[in-house]
């Protein structure tokens, strides 16, 4: 299991460095997703399978979808078509694919060994986390719900098109 | 033995990479991505500490970090869209002139 940890760490660091050195945002997103997948494998090795699943679902799933939508909204038109063509070139997707294939090989290897978390670590599953989350940390859950509501209202307010209002201000201050 | 020290070193490396990204890149989308990397590294440190003490508290704090990252990112990306709509650029050197 230690070798799995080291390989995943190397994948995470390599993917993050490659993310920081990309020019296009979509390519950086691919590497960021691979980095999050590698961190999820590390969580699993450390005996936190619940958090590993949440890392996949929320970080690599929901948050990355937000990023992808914004990147799509930012460059519309001809730019997007050329970006799509460049994205289909093998040099663009071969790097994230290799890194993701390493993680997949680790996954298959762990499944072949029986699919058990590391024997050295005491695995803390969803039951303990849920008991702790809705026991002593209940006030934190309430505060988080208020934070998410604030984020929802803020994103809706900022994202709504205020077209007539901006036209009026542009007319008065040309 | 759990690789506790190595995990903390990994969290530090990832956090440092995020700081470098925030300082070096000039695109707002890249800066938000780097902030995500930093939050992820902080969450990794919490989970490692929870695994060290055999307690679920580290994972609970990671859930809070997750929710905070989602809220921060939704507002941040809405701001990015609004800025791009108004200034047609995401370069922070250009956007640093707020002019009211």
């Amino acid at each position: 299991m230690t070798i799995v940890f080291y390989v995943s760490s190397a994948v995470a660091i390599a993917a993050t460095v490659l993310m920081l050195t990309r020019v296009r945002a979509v390519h950086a997103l691919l590497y960021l997703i691979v980095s999050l997948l590698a961190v999820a494998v590390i969580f699993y090795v450390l005996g936190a399978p619940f958090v590993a699943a949440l890392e996949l679902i929320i970080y690599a799933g929901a948050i990355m979808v937000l990023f992808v939508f914004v990147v799509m909204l930012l460059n519309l038109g001809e730019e997007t078509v050329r970006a799509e063509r460049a994205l289909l070139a093998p040099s663009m997707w071969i790097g994230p694919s290799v890194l993701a294939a390493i993680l997949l090989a680790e996954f298959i290897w762990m499944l072949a060994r029986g699919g058990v978390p590391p024997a050295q670590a005491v695995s803390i599953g969803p039951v303990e986390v849920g008991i702790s989350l809705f026991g002593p940390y209940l006030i934190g859950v309430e505060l988080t719900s208020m934070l998410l509501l604030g984020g929802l209202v803020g994103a809706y307010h900022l994202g709504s098109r205020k077209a007539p209002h901006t036209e009026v201000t542009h007319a008065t201050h040309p | 033995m759990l690789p506790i020290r190595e995990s903390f070193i990994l969290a530090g490396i990832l956090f440092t990479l995020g700081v470098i990204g925030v300082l070096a890149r000039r695109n707002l989308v890249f800066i938000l991505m780097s902030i995500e990397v930093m939050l992820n590294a902080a969450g990794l440190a919490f989970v490692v500490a929870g695994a060290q003490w055999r307690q679920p508290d580290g994972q609970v704090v990671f859930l809070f970090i997750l929710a905070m990252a989602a809220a921060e990112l939704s507002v941040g990306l809405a701001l990015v869209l609004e800025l791009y709509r108004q200034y047609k650029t995401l370069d922070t050197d250009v956007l640093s002139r707020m002019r009211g």
Side-chain angles (χ1 to χ4, degrees), chain B residues 28-81:
Chain B
L28 269 178
V29 176
F30 278 93
I31 289 177
L32 279 176
M33 280 189 225
S34 304
I35 289 174
E36 288 305 307
V37 169
M38 288 162 67
L39 286 173
N40 199 35
L44 174 65
F46 270 109
V47 172
V48 171
Q52 162 82 341
W53 298 107
R54 311 271 196 268
Q55 295 293 320
D57 303 70
Q59 300 188 33
V60 170
V61 176
F62 181 80
L63 294 188
F64 291 153
I65 290 177
L66 203 64
M68 195 270 292
E72 170 257 336
L73 193 71
S74 60
V75 175
L77 286 176
L79 278 172
V80 164
L81 280 180

Side-chain angles (χ1 to χ4, degrees), chain A residues 20 22 54-55 63 74 137, chain B residues 25 57 62-63 73 84:
Chain A
L20 289 177
R22 290 308 97 179
L54 278 182
E55 171 101 4
I63 293 181
L74 283 183
Y137 288 101
Chain B
R25 297 306 299 254
D57 303 70
F62 181 80
L63 294 188
L73 193 71
Y84 187 75

Side-chain angles (χ1 to χ4, degrees), chain A residues 52-125:
Chain A
L54 278 182
E55 171 101 4
L56 286 186
I57 295 169
I58 298 181
Y59 254 123
I63 293 181
M64 288 307 115
V65 166
L66 268 181
F67 262 119
V68 168
F69 267 111
V70 168
V71 169
M72 280 165 55
L73 283 173
L74 283 183
N75 44 9
L76 295 170
E78 277 302 309
E79 182 76 13
T80 316
V81 179
R82 280 192 284 112
E84 289 285 337
R85 286 218 183 85
L87 198 62
L88 293 178
S91 63
M92 284 309 144
W93 52 263
I94 203 78
S97 303
V98 167
L99 291 176
I102 292 173
L103 292 176
L104 179 65
E106 281 183 353
F107 184 64
I108 292 173
W109 185 72
M110 282 196 286
L111 277 183
R113 281 171 56 103
V116 287
Q120 307 95 333
V122 178
S123 184
I124 302 168

